[in-house]
Amino acid sequence: MEGPTEDVLDAVGPRLRALRRGRGITLAELSMTIGVSESTLSRLESGQRRATLELLLALARVYDVPLDDLVGAPRTGDPRIHLKPVHRFGMIFVPLFRRPGGTQAFKMIIPARSAPLEPTPQTHDGSEWLYVLSGRLRLVLGEQDLTLPAGEAAEFDTSSPHWLGSADGGAVELLVLYGPQGVRAHVRSDLGRSSRTGTWG
């Protein structure tokens, strides 16, 4: 197999690993649930083994997601463009909205690790707003070292040294809005009053 089909199959393993770790399920627990050996599941997640339809159906039930989500298939009749996840710096970035020279929105997935990474702060032009969906995010911003649990948000100037990672080694999922220099998020309270000046865009 070559071309797009091969690319789709190659992406199944990392997607299954991210789903399992994101739900805090071990290989041993998954093995007991669906009756498949840990070694088979490990080879499947590492891309050394191709998944059968029967196995994918079992995993879709466990993770409570449509089968199409496991293989990255586009929704039938859906006119929207489904952008591919990007693997970078050991993290997964799923683009949600991208406008050349303007706002970028994406979902970031920080995979679970046996031990948290050491911060390596970086700088670049722009502003960033983030919201933690699950897990515990560690945000190093200049001299500040913050832990943000699920449900918390942060906004900062990316020209300041910053780094994002897991606070405890567990998987973290977050939404991120990035805007060019001088463009900031516009956050409204439940009464509609702005708590920030300026808007994304």
Side-chain angles (χ1 to χ4, degrees):
M1 286 176 288
E2 298 179 353
T5 299
E6 187 70 18
D7 292 340
V8 169
L9 293 175
D10 287 343
V12 170
R15 187 175 291 112
L16 292 175
R17 181 186 292 113
L19 277 169
R20 177 178 61 78
R21 290 179 172 177
R23 285 161 172 72
I25 301 174
T26 66
L27 279 174
E29 292 169 339
L30 184 59
S31 173
M32 293 181 62
T33 299
I34 65 175
V36 175
S37 70
E38 289 184 54
S39 60
T40 296
L41 293 172
S42 178
R43 291 198 301 273
L44 176 63
E45 291 186 353
S46 65
Q48 299 175 28
R49 179 187 177 95
R50 298 300 190 200
T52 63
L53 178 58
E54 181 181 10
L55 182 51
L56 285 175
L57 287 171
L59 291 170
R61 285 193 294 269
V62 170
Y63 298 138
D64 192 27
V65 297
L67 180 61
D68 285 353
D69 285 2
L70 297 185
V71 297
R75 297 286 191 269
T76 302
D78 189 344
R80 294 170 295 178
I81 297 173
H82 295 267
L83 299 175
K84 295 181 179 180
V86 176
H87 297 258
R88 188 177 298 167
F89 312 123
M91 297 180 284
I92 303 170
F93 298 83
V94 183
L96 302 175
F97 175 80
R98 182 175 295 165
R99 184 177 67 192
T103 304
Q104 298 181 29
F106 51 91
K107 180 178 181 180
M108 178 190 294
I109 302 171
I110 303 174
R113 297 179 180 275
S114 57
L117 294 175
E118 286 298 315
T120 53
Q122 305 289 329
T123 63
H124 53 87
D125 290 338
S127 296
E128 192 163 297
W129 179 93
L130 58 85
Y131 177 84
V132 182
L133 296 169
S134 64
R136 291 167 54 82
L137 176 72
R138 182 182 180 188
L139 169 61
V140 176
L141 182 61
E143 299 298 319
Q144 301 181 78
D145 194 334
L146 309 170
T147 297
L148 280 67
E152 287 200 359
E155 181 183 11
F156 54 91
D157 187 333
T158 54
S159 63
S160 298
H162 61 281
W163 178 86
L164 305 176
S166 173
D168 52 17
V172 183
E173 296 187 12
L174 56 150
L175 293 177
V176 178
L177 291 179
Y178 168 77
Q181 190 68 31
V183 179
R184 305 190 68 180
H186 186 71
V187 183
R188 295 182 181 275
S189 70
D190 55 0
L191 295 179
R193 291 174 298 181
S194 172
S195 60
R196 292 283 188 184
T197 57
T199 60
W200 286 98

